[in-house]
Amino acid sequence: MRLGSPGLLLLLFSSLRADPQEKEVRAMVGSDVELSCACPEGSHFDLNDVYVYWQTSESKTVVTYHIPQNSSLDNVDSHYRNRALMSPAGMRQGDFSLRLFNVTPQDEQKFHCLVLSQSLGFQEVLSVVVTLHVAANFSVPVVSTPHSPSQDELTFTCTSINGYPRPNVYWINKTDNSLLDQALQNDTVFLNTRGLYDVVSVLRIARTPSVNIGCCIENVLLRQNLTVGSQTGNNIGERDKITENPVRTREKTEVTWSVLGVLCLLVAVAVAIGWVCRDRWLRRSYAGHV
């Protein structure tokens, strides 16, 4: 018996009930990843004897397959065409792993690998389910300058884009690093055209003379927390300035005037000495001529 079409193989694949091996792997959006499905080292297989099939576990989407004497991959789903490959050399050594290129958020699901042997009456040789977790770094949050919709309220807006999976958003009182009540914030999280998450969080708090808060975007899968602070108060913009002590300033002024007075006195003395010397020289010169 030969299973010459992917359709017949899919039918057989769906009827199997053996418990597969379970594995997990993580990949960044845009990267390449390997989904492992391999027999013990030292295994050898004839590619004219084995049937290999990769599909998603839930939607049963065809990812790729190997059928002896059939090189057509017409039944591969368009989302995975030219992105999902197995190595013929690897398969001969019992390595039926899937190489998935340019990972997208839509690839976050379970992938099922099944290997059958024709010479063993299409007995299952290997069955593995690989769960792929997809991640992308969020941009550094941008916290807008606070504005006052009323005299008693301050509003802050925090924005971060192009991350995955869905983030958690926290506002922090940076004075003591405590979390603000989430009832004070309104989060809008949505998928953009790239399938990644953008988030906008608006915080409304009571106006106080000085506020020091931070917006934190948490990516649980990457164990990543991005925090940016915002501050209000009369001292903002002046923290890098140096203010002179009035007493020291007055003392410096008095010293300056004292120095100037001494210099003026020295100049006057020098001028007087000059006149005296000039007068004596003129007298001597006059006496010599007489």
Side-chain angles (χ1 to χ4, degrees):
M1 175 183 178
R2 176 178 294 275
L3 296 179
S5 73
L8 290 175
L9 182 58
L10 176 61
L11 181 62
L12 177 61
F13 185 75
S14 302
S15 65
L16 294 173
R17 292 291 182 268
D19 293 331
Q21 301 177 33
E22 297 277 350
K23 299 182 179 182
E24 293 189 17
V25 66
R26 187 184 73 186
M28 301 296 289
V29 171
S31 69
D32 304 333
V33 66
E34 182 176 274
L35 308 184
S36 178
C37 179
C39 293
E41 290 187 15
S43 302
H44 296 280
F45 288 87
D46 181 356
L47 294 188
N48 291 318
D49 180 60
V50 293
Y51 288 71
V52 186
Y53 199 79
W54 277 93
Q55 74 171 21
T56 59
S57 295
E58 296 182 3
S59 63
K60 310 302 180 187
T61 300
V62 179
V63 179
T64 193
Y65 50 83
H66 165 77
I67 296 177
Q69 312 301 324
N70 186 342
S71 60
S72 172
L73 294 176
D74 292 341
N75 289 278
V76 171
D77 187 84
S78 59
H79 181 66
Y80 295 105
R81 191 163 295 155
N82 300 322
R83 292 181 55 232
L85 300 175
M86 293 182 292
S87 166
M91 287 192 289
R92 292 187 181 93
Q93 303 300 318
D95 187 353
F96 307 98
S97 300
L98 177 73
R99 189 71 177 173
L100 186 61
F101 300 93
N102 192 21
V103 170
T104 71
Q106 292 73 30
D107 294 327
E108 184 170 76
Q109 48 193 312
K110 294 178 181 288
F111 293 82
H112 194 170
C113 165
L114 177 68
V115 182
L116 306 174
S117 170
Q118 180 180 346
S119 62
L120 297 176
F122 294 100
Q123 179 179 331
E124 177 185 305
V125 176
L126 186 63
S127 179
V128 178
V129 170
V130 183
T131 301
L132 175 58
H133 300 285
V134 177
N137 291 308
F138 280 89
S139 65
V140 175
V142 176
V143 180
S144 67
T145 303
H147 66 280
S148 304
S150 68
Q151 294 183 349
D152 302 323
E153 183 179 82
L154 284 175
T155 299
F156 298 83
T157 301
C158 176
T159 304
S160 184
I161 63 174
N162 290 330
Y164 200 89
R166 186 184 180 95
N168 294 322
V169 184
Y170 306 101
W171 288 89
I172 302 170
N173 180 350
K174 298 192 72 176
T175 302
D176 57 8
N177 289 323
S178 62
L179 293 178
L180 297 179
D181 187 352
Q182 289 193 311
L184 300 173
Q185 67 189 68
N186 181 22
D187 301 335
T188 302
V189 183
F190 55 93
L191 288 171
N192 59 29
T193 56
R194 297 177 56 193
L196 302 175
Y197 284 102
D198 294 348
V199 57
V200 178
S201 180
V202 178
L203 175 73
R204 292 181 173 85
I205 59 175
R207 174 186 285 276
T208 58
S210 179
V211 177
N212 187 3
I213 63 166
C215 173
C216 176
I217 305 296
E218 180 188 30
N219 189 321
V220 175
L221 185 58
L222 295 178
R223 297 180 180 178
Q224 180 185 70
N225 291 285
L226 301 174
T227 304
V228 171
S230 182
Q231 215 171 11
T232 66
N234 295 331
N235 61 332
I236 302 308
E238 300 179 354
R239 55 191 171 195
D240 295 328
K241 296 180 181 178
I242 300 175
T243 304
E244 292 279 6
N245 185 309
V247 175
R248 292 180 60 87
T249 302
R250 184 170 62 250
E251 290 176 352
K252 288 184 178 180
T253 302
E254 292 174 352
V255 170
T256 300
W257 281 111
S258 298
V259 171
L260 289 176
V262 171
L263 289 175
C264 290
L265 179 60
L266 291 175
V267 170
V269 171
V271 171
I273 292 173
W275 277 105
V276 170
C277 292
R278 179 176 178 275
D279 183 63
R280 289 180 178 178
W281 181 82
L282 288 175
R283 289 180 181 180
R284 292 175 182 175
S285 177
Y286 177 77
H289 285 290
V290 174

